[in-house]
Amino acid sequence: MLHFRFSTVLKELFEATLKRPLPGCRQKTWLPIRHCCFGAASVDARSVSTQLKVLHAAAHRPALRTAPCATPVRSYCAKTEGAVELDEQLKKDGGGSEEASDKRRNAGILPSLEDLLFYTVAEGQEKIPAHKFLTALKATGLRTGDPRLKECMETLKETLKKTSDGVTLDRHLFKRCVQSNIVLLTQAFRKKFVIPDFQSFTSHIDELYENAKNLSGGQVADYIPQLAKFNPDLWAVSLCTVDGQRHTVGDTKVPFCLQSCVKPLKYAVAVHDHGTEYVHSFIGKEPSGLRFNKLFLNEDDKPHNPMVNAGAIVCTSLIKQGEGNAEKFDYVMNFLKNMAGNEYVGFSNATFQSERESGDRNFAIGYYLKEKKCFPEGTDMTSVLDFYFQLCSIEVTCESASVMAATLANGGICPITGERVLSPEAVRNTLSLMHSCGMYDFSGQFAFHVGLPAKSGVAGGILLVVPNVMGIMCWSPPLDKLGNSVRGIQFCTDLVELFNFHNYDNLRHFAKKHDPRREGGDQRGIPPHQHHQHPWPQI
């Protein structure tokens, strides 16, 4: 029986592996390889073998950086342009086949990334139960349904059908399953994602969720009859990191309407299509200091910003001008689906009808905008209002909306598909306006205390973005007097009190908060012996 023990020869082999450019990049390269440290989690992330400690120690030697990963900057979870060159080089070297990998091993050259991953999960056994691999995978934050892992999961399913017991995989079968996605999997098991200790981080998220769940204040919005039907006890939080790590707690599969949460998204679409200068020739950039539905313009007779109703109605008129509402609606829906990684985006016709029937204030705003010539020439104002009501009635779940928020956090690239959806210019503008104007009359307070771009809606959603880290959607229907979710505001406030996510928490010599972007959740400014003790053993 083969046991994964570090004889002198094996030690030399692994050290040699870690000193040379990494092999095995033969998938669509979703993630560029960073410096080589193979700190892997075991199945339950608690039992650690002596051998893996040796491997981890070897992997952290500074001299082991290699050419493909010399830059230590964290990059987005996107297809890299170097993928083609890597694939071609591997074909040339014969590195694209399992046989070539075995030849290298038999010749005493090097184990492949697939081998290292197998040894990490197998912990000395000759075979791996498939569920053990999947459990270890989920501990990293990746889902088995992640679009980037589709080929791996399909191969795993087909391979298990052909095994004698339908459960276990030997090394060769395991390698066949993972080789198409080895770069992403290696990043995950090396803890090279933006939140390395994901289970520890999500346990804190669950605590914050439970704390906010106990709140009982607020009223469900009733000025739109369909909104009044929601149970006030509904409460959900979903998050998606820029590397596609997912976590969800509560009623996260219940569909609800975006309402005002759609405002930053359609503004992003308008800027993506037309550019900043054109869009802001119709709409200002300043907080209004007034209620979101006031009939009031700035001194240039423009709406103050795209996050109040007047600005959002004008922004709606800029999308696909000259097309019919059906084409416009499909266009925006496709954008939102791409932002959500093709997860749930729907439409509530009942809410749309309610909006239109109870939309007197918005009709008044529309006529006021028309009188002041705020629309592009030739605009049909009533048609624009119909489109406006339709966009407010688009449905999401907490889970799908968290991916939308993560796309904004990731500079316009959807983390779970690797596709660029929005231009960097559109994302930067959107986050700037969310930061200053996104939370109704609470925007200044929210920017002061939470310090993150966010947008709330009267259905109870809060779309929160932690730039370069993650997107979060909180949803609970009861609202405070300013129209923001009571539980959502509490969660966002607690989140920033615990973690250094506030825009200015990362000033030098400043905040003493947990930094989940560091392995072990190190606290900035706190001596090492006082660091928060992470429940996982350090591998």
Side-chain angles (χ1 to χ4, degrees):
M1 184 187 291
L2 171 65
H3 287 283
F4 184 48
R5 295 201 175 114
F6 277 82
S7 64
T8 305
V9 175
L10 269 177
K11 279 185 185 177
E12 291 172 358
L13 274 176
F14 275 94
E15 289 177 12
T17 302
L18 293 163
K19 285 178 181 176
R20 71 193 286 273
L22 291 173
C25 303
R26 46 183 169 274
Q27 68 168 37
K28 293 174 183 175
T29 310
W30 298 96
L31 283 161
I33 299 170
R34 279 166 275 187
H35 69 272
C36 313
C37 70
F38 202 81
S42 64
V43 174
D44 59 3
R46 297 181 191 281
S47 59
V48 184
S49 65
T50 306
Q51 295 94 325
L52 284 175
K53 289 180 182 177
V54 173
L55 177 56
H56 189 69
H60 277 84
R61 292 173 185 165
L64 304 186
R65 287 188 182 172
T66 58
C69 37
T71 306
V73 178
R74 207 208 70 75
S75 52
Y76 295 129
C77 190
K79 297 177 186 177
T80 59
E81 292 173 1
V84 178
E85 289 87 341
L86 280 168
D87 287 343
E88 290 303 318
Q89 187 60 45
L90 282 163
K91 284 175 188 172
K92 207 176 287 182
D93 297 342
S97 68
E98 188 179 338
E99 291 80 3
S101 172
D102 284 340
K103 281 179 184 176
R104 289 199 305 273
R105 289 191 74 255
N106 293 336
I109 301 174
L110 297 167
S112 65
L113 285 178
E114 292 92 334
D115 287 320
L116 293 174
L117 186 56
F118 176 83
Y119 296 140
T120 299
V121 180
E123 296 183 296
Q125 301 301 309
E126 287 183 329
K127 292 187 175 183
I128 299 176
H131 69 84
K132 185 176 183 180
F133 167 61
L134 297 177
T135 304
L137 181 67
K138 288 174 184 175
T140 70
L142 289 182
R143 289 185 171 178
T144 53
D146 191 306
R148 298 166 297 174
L149 292 174
K150 183 179 180 183
E151 194 172 344
C152 173
M153 292 302 132
E154 287 178 350
T155 307
L156 178 63
K157 186 177 178 182
E158 292 304 313
T159 301
L160 287 173
K161 287 179 183 177
K162 299 172 185 175
T163 60
S164 57
D165 59 5
V167 175
T168 57
L169 301 165
D170 62 22
R171 184 173 61 85
H172 293 288
L173 291 177
F174 178 81
K175 287 171 67 175
R176 187 181 304 163
C177 293
V178 302
Q179 63 184 1
S180 59
N181 298 116
I182 190 59
V183 175
L184 180 65
L185 292 170
T186 301
Q187 292 290 92
F189 281 90
R190 284 178 178 160
K191 296 188 178 181
K192 288 299 168 185
F193 284 160
V194 67
I195 306 290
D197 295 331
F198 196 66
Q199 286 190 320
S200 173
F201 175 72
T202 55
S203 70
H204 288 301
I205 295 296
D206 292 346
E207 288 173 17
L208 301 183
Y209 169 88
E210 291 298 331
N211 289 342
K213 189 176 183 179
N214 297 325
L215 296 177
S216 56
Q219 295 293 321
V220 178
D222 58 5
Y223 73 94
I224 299 171
Q226 290 302 313
L227 298 182
K229 296 180 179 180
F230 276 104
N231 183 341
D233 294 329
L234 291 167
W235 169 222
V237 173
S238 289
L239 66 88
C240 175
T241 74
V242 293
D243 288 318
Q245 296 164 284
R246 309 287 297 276
H247 182 66
T248 188
V249 55
D251 305 299
T252 54
K253 295 188 184 297
V254 180
F256 62 94
C257 288
L258 280 168
Q259 293 295 330
S260 285
C261 289
V262 83
K263 288 174 180 172
L265 306 180
K266 65 183 170 187
Y267 167 76
V269 172
V271 174
H272 178 87
D273 286 348
H274 300 295
T276 304
E277 189 175 341
Y278 178 79
V279 172
H280 285 286
S281 66
F282 295 93
I283 311 167
K285 310 181 187 77
E286 294 291 333
S288 67
L290 301 166
R291 293 287 288 166
F292 67 96
N293 58 358
K294 286 285 185 184
L295 277 73
F296 194 74
L297 301 176
N298 66 18
E299 58 187 19
D300 298 321
D301 277 347
K302 295 179 186 176
H304 284 79
N305 63 72
M307 304 300 155
V308 295
N309 285 16
I313 291 169
V314 172
C315 187
T316 303
S317 73
L318 304 181
I319 297 171
K320 282 290 172 186
Q321 297 167 44
E323 300 280 354
N325 275 4
E327 290 78 12
K328 292 179 180 181
F329 182 76
D330 281 347
Y331 182 72
V332 174
M333 281 289 279
N334 285 333
F335 250 105
L336 298 186
K337 284 178 181 175
N338 289 336
M339 285 187 73
N342 297 313
E343 294 192 358
Y344 179 77
V345 181
F347 177 71
S348 170
N349 187 55
T351 303
F352 165 59
Q353 298 296 342
S354 280
E355 289 257 14
R356 190 159 57 172
E357 290 162 9
S358 60
D360 292 342
R361 171 57 67 100
N362 285 320
F363 275 102
I365 293 172
Y367 280 107
Y368 184 47
L369 293 169
K370 184 179 178 183
E371 180 207 350
K372 295 293 186 178
K373 296 183 169 41
C374 294
F375 295 112
E377 193 173 340
T379 297
D380 180 343
M381 185 272 294
T382 55
S383 177
V384 166
L385 280 173
D386 254 10
F387 186 30
Y388 174 81
F389 294 139
Q390 283 180 321
L391 295 184
C392 288
S393 305
I394 289 175
E395 280 188 339
V396 294
T397 64
C398 251
E399 295 199 20
S400 61
S402 71
V403 182
M404 293 178 177
T407 299
L408 293 175
N410 200 28
I413 296 171
C414 178
I416 63 172
T417 63
E419 293 180 10
R420 176 165 289 286
V421 184
L422 294 165
S423 68
E425 174 191 14
V427 174
R428 188 186 68 174
N429 289 0
T430 301
L431 296 180
S432 297
L433 288 167
M434 287 169 71
H435 188 89
S436 61
C437 315
M439 300 297 289
Y440 300 125
D441 291 352
F442 192 66
S443 296
Q445 292 262 36
F446 194 87
F448 185 86
H449 291 290
V450 179
L452 290 171
K455 185 71 191 84
S456 56
V458 293
I462 295 181
L463 192 77
L464 183 73
V465 177
V466 186
N468 295 322
V469 182
M470 69 181 69
I472 300 174
M473 174 57 98
C474 313
W475 175 61
S476 182
L479 309 177
D480 60 24
K481 290 179 181 178
L482 297 174
N484 298 315
S485 168
V486 172
R487 293 188 182 103
I489 292 287
Q490 185 68 51
F491 177 87
C492 294
T493 306
D494 290 347
L495 179 75
V496 172
E497 283 183 4
L498 181 61
F499 297 111
N500 65 337
F501 288 157
H502 189 291
N503 196 36
Y504 302 112
D505 272 342
N506 292 302
L507 293 172
R508 294 183 67 190
H509 316 300
F510 190 55
K512 295 181 178 179
K513 295 181 182 179
H514 298 300
D515 186 353
R517 288 159 284 199
R518 299 180 176 204
E519 195 166 348
D522 289 358
Q523 291 173 308
R524 292 176 61 91
I526 296 179
H529 66 277
Q530 294 179 21
H531 285 171
H532 168 66
Q533 293 300 308
H534 186 269
W536 291 11
Q538 294 302 300
I539 301 172

